[in-house]
Every structure is written in C-alpha cells, then in structure tokens.
C-alpha cells in the first residue's frame, strides 16, 4: 500500500491524492483514519493552527470483499514542505494491519518577478556581449602596432651630430668628428674585451651606454683604463667647438671682408 506525494504549484490551491484499501475477509470492518501527532522540537509554532491535510470519508464501514479508494487533500496558505503521518484504525482488528502512511505536500509560491528577471538576464547578456566585443577589439588594437621606425643613420655626420647632442644634452656635450672617432674606438675595444656579439652591438650616441659597458668590466686593473679614456673623451666633448661659436662667425666675416679689401687694393695698384 502506498500513496503518491501530493504537489501543488501555488499556495492556496488544492491538491489531491488517494490510496486504495480492500477488505479481503468475511467480516465487516469499521474503520477510522487518524492523524498521528508527534512531539518534535521542529514542529510549527502553536499559533499555526492550519490543517493542511484532510481525509475524505475518514470513518465508515468496509464490507467483506469491498474495495474503497480514500482521498486525501492538501492545501496551505503559506509556502513550504509539509508532511503528516496517518494510520487506519479498524474494529475488529485486521489480521494484517495497514502500516502508517506518509503524506507530503509542497506549497510553492508563484514567481511574480519572472518577467523582471528575464529582462534583467537579457540586459546582462547584452552587456556581457558588448564587453566581450570591446575586449576583443582592444586586444586586436593592442596587437596591431605601428611599425618600428628605422634606426637613425649615424654614418651621416648631420644625423650623428643631432643624435649625440640630443641624447647627451644634460651633460652639455658637443659633437665633433674627433670626439665621435675616439668614443667609437672605445666602444669597439669594450665590445672586443667583453666579447659582445655583433647582433648586440649598437650605440645610440648616449654616453651612459658606454659607462654601463665599462662598469660591467670585472677586472679591477682593466676597468680603470677604460674609465680614464672615457673621462678624457668626455672632457673634450664638453668643450664647445670654435666653429660653433658666435664670435667665430663674426671674425670669419671680418677676415673675409679684409681679404676682399686687400684684393681690391691690389687691383687698383696694378
């Protein structure tokens, strides 16, 4: 003998289930369905007087050979999962008494916010999609970089002059072809001593690069030799070339004018 769980969708509605009992004996049986009360620390408060399970035709007589279906109803005004144990008492007692049955009812509240939640979920999906698209575009933009500009042609004296003086502006160094030749020789010596490969050899005209190479020399006797050369070339580079002086241009113009005057006098004398 069994009874199916009674389920309901919205609290306030009624759900029903049933159980079938047969009298296979030769004597009429008076019966009564009773709810079994349990003392439990988890029972509902005393203010909860609601009867949620109801047995239809809870007492009567069952004749010999008669089969009867008993209906149980469940209704609850509050949501939750509820259960009760019921037992069938009979007079006279049956040879095989029925075991107690467990009735279970689930009261569910109708979701009144399903439309709002669907709209919210749709909005979140759109935002998530937009975020994914934006991140993808940003990744593409990050990967698409502007081509690296070519290195300056330091063999061109004018380019070399510009790079040398710009990169060493804080030291107030001046370009001359002699200074560059000296520094280039020092650079080559350092490459050779430190055994730096051709692929790694590049000086961008910043003298700090040469100073770092010198500091990487571990030999305490060799390093001072490189430092002495560097300091000597460095001091020469701090001296402004005469040809770069404003007075140089003035005296040059005066000398040219004087030479032209001498030439004119010579022609008159002839």
């Amino acid at each position: 003998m069994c009874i199916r769980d009674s389920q309901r969708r919205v609290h306030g509605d009624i759900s029903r289930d049933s159980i079938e009992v047969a009298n296979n004996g030769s004597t009429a049986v008076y019966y009564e369905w009773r709810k079994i009360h349990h003392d439990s620390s988890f029972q509902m408060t005393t203010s909860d007087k609601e009867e949620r399970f109801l047995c239809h035709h809870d007492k009567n007589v069952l004749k010999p050979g008669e089969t009867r279906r008993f209906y149980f109803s469940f209704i609850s005004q509050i949501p939750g999962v509820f259960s009760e144990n019921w037992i069938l008492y009979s007079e006279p007692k049956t040879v095989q008494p029925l075991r107690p049955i467990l009735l279970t009812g689930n009261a569910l509240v109708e979701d009144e916010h399903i439309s709002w939640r669907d709209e919210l979920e749709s909005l979140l999906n759109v935002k998530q999609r937009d975020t994914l698209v934006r991140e993808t575009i940003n990744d593409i933009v990050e990967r698409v970089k502007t081509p690296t500009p070519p290195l300056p042609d330091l063999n061109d004296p004018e380019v070399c002059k510009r790079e040398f003086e710009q990169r060493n502006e804080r030291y107030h160094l001046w370009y001359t072809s002699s200074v560059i030749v000296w520094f280039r020789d020092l650079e080559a010596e350092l490459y050779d001593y430190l055994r730096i490969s051709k692929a790694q050899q590049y000086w961008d005209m910043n003298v700090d690069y040469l100073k770092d190479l010198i500091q990487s020399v571990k030999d305490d006797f060799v390093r001072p030799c490189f430092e002495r050369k560097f300091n000597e070339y460095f001091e020469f580079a701090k001296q402004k070339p005469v040809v770069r002086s404003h007075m140089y241009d003035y005296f040059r113009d005066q000398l040219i004018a004087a030479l032209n005057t001498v030439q004119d006098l010579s022609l008159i004398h002839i």
Side-chain angles (χ1 to χ4, degrees), residues 8 32 43 47 84 87 118 130 151 169 229 241 252:
R8 47 190 303 282
E32 180 181 2
Q43 66 183 358
S47 59
E84 291 182 358
I87 189 170
D118 289 343
D130 293 344
L151 295 174
E169 185 177 5
K229 288 184 179 181
R252 183 193 61 186

Side-chain angles (χ1 to χ4, degrees), residues 6 14-17 52-56 71-75:
S6 175
I14 299 176
S15 293
R16 294 181 176 85
D17 211 333
R52 296 183 175 86
F53 294 92
L54 173 67
C55 177
H56 302 269
Y71 291 90
F72 293 85
S73 299
F74 169 75
I75 185 171

Side-chain angles (χ1 to χ4, degrees), residues 2 20 22 27 61 67 80 83 102 107 109 113 123 140 143 145 154 162 173 179 181 194-196 213 215 249 252:
C2 65
E20 192 174 83
T27 304
V61 61
T67 299
S83 62
L102 174 65
V109 178
H113 305 288
L123 179 61
I140 295 174
R143 294 175 184 175
K145 298 181 179 179
L154 299 179
R162 182 194 67 216
L173 301 187
V179 167
V181 170
L194 296 172
R195 297 184 178 181
I196 298 177
L213 288 180
Q215 293 304 313
D249 294 335
R252 183 193 61 186

Side-chain angles (χ1 to χ4, degrees), residues 25 41 45 62 79 82 88 108 136 150 162 168-169 171 184 219 231 242 256:
S41 58
T45 62
L62 192 62
F82 306 93
L88 181 64
L108 308 178
T136 303
R162 182 194 67 216
N168 302 289
E169 185 177 5
Y171 297 128
R184 283 295 191 188
D219 194 312
N231 292 333
V242 176
I256 292 174

Side-chain angles (χ1 to χ4, degrees), residues 60-192:
N60 208 325
V61 61
L62 192 62
K63 299 176 182 178
E66 182 182 4
T67 299
R68 182 168 298 176
R69 181 171 295 275
F70 297 97
Y71 291 90
F72 293 85
S73 299
F74 169 75
I75 185 171
S76 176
Q77 300 301 322
I78 60 174
V81 179
F82 306 93
S83 62
E84 291 182 358
N85 288 294
W86 287 67
I87 189 170
L88 181 64
Y89 287 93
S90 62
E91 184 61 36
K93 296 185 179 299
T94 58
V95 177
Q96 294 180 340
L98 296 177
R99 292 178 299 174
I101 61 172
L102 174 65
L103 304 179
T104 301
N106 300 331
L108 308 178
V109 178
E110 183 178 8
D111 190 352
E112 299 176 355
H113 305 288
I114 186 169
S115 299
W116 174 84
R117 192 167 58 252
D118 289 343
E119 292 178 4
L120 178 61
E121 183 176 358
S122 177
L123 179 61
L124 292 177
N125 289 336
V126 171
K127 288 186 177 181
Q128 183 179 15
R129 182 190 60 198
D130 293 344
T131 301
L132 179 61
V133 171
R134 184 165 56 254
E135 291 177 352
T136 303
I137 293 176
N138 290 338
D139 289 342
I140 295 174
V141 171
E142 285 295 326
R143 294 175 184 175
V144 179
K145 298 181 179 179
T146 304
T148 304
L151 295 174
D153 183 8
L154 299 179
N155 292 322
D156 185 330
E158 289 300 321
V159 175
C160 185
K161 171 184 172 182
R162 182 194 67 216
E163 293 294 319
F164 181 79
E165 294 187 354
Q166 285 183 355
R167 294 184 181 277
N168 302 289
E169 185 177 5
R170 64 186 179 282
Y171 297 128
H172 304 290
L173 301 187
W174 296 86
Y175 166 88
T176 64
S177 59
S178 298
V179 167
I180 296 302
V181 170
W182 295 336
F183 275 130
R184 283 295 191 188
D185 290 342
L186 177 61
E187 175 194 11
E189 292 178 18
L190 287 166
Y191 288 154
D192 182 62

